[in-house]
Amino acid sequence: MRPNRFYNVLRIGPVKVATFNNGRGQTRHTAACTAPNCGFSTEHRDRSAAELAARTHRCT
């Protein structure tokens, strides 16, 4: 299987939102926090949900 290729990357605060194609050929969207020791990441079917998760995320 080939590795994920992220495109359409957007940064919202410490969170990066990106689009990728999974192994089944489906387009997915992810939001992942880049702050040290945070560990927040989510995967969504639509871009707006990933962006909403990024906007409402608060690091603890």
Side-chain angles (χ1 to χ4, degrees), residues 3-4 10 17-19 23 25 27-28 30 35 40-41 46 51-53 60:
N4 291 333
L10 170 70
V17 178
T19 303
T27 300
R28 296 289 185 181
T30 187
F40 170 78
S41 68
D46 45 19
E51 289 184 11
L52 179 63
T60 54

Side-chain angles (χ1 to χ4, degrees), residues 20-35:
F20 68 97
N21 294 318
N22 66 6
R24 296 179 176 207
Q26 301 166 333
T27 300
R28 296 289 185 181
H29 309 277
T30 187
C33 187
T34 59

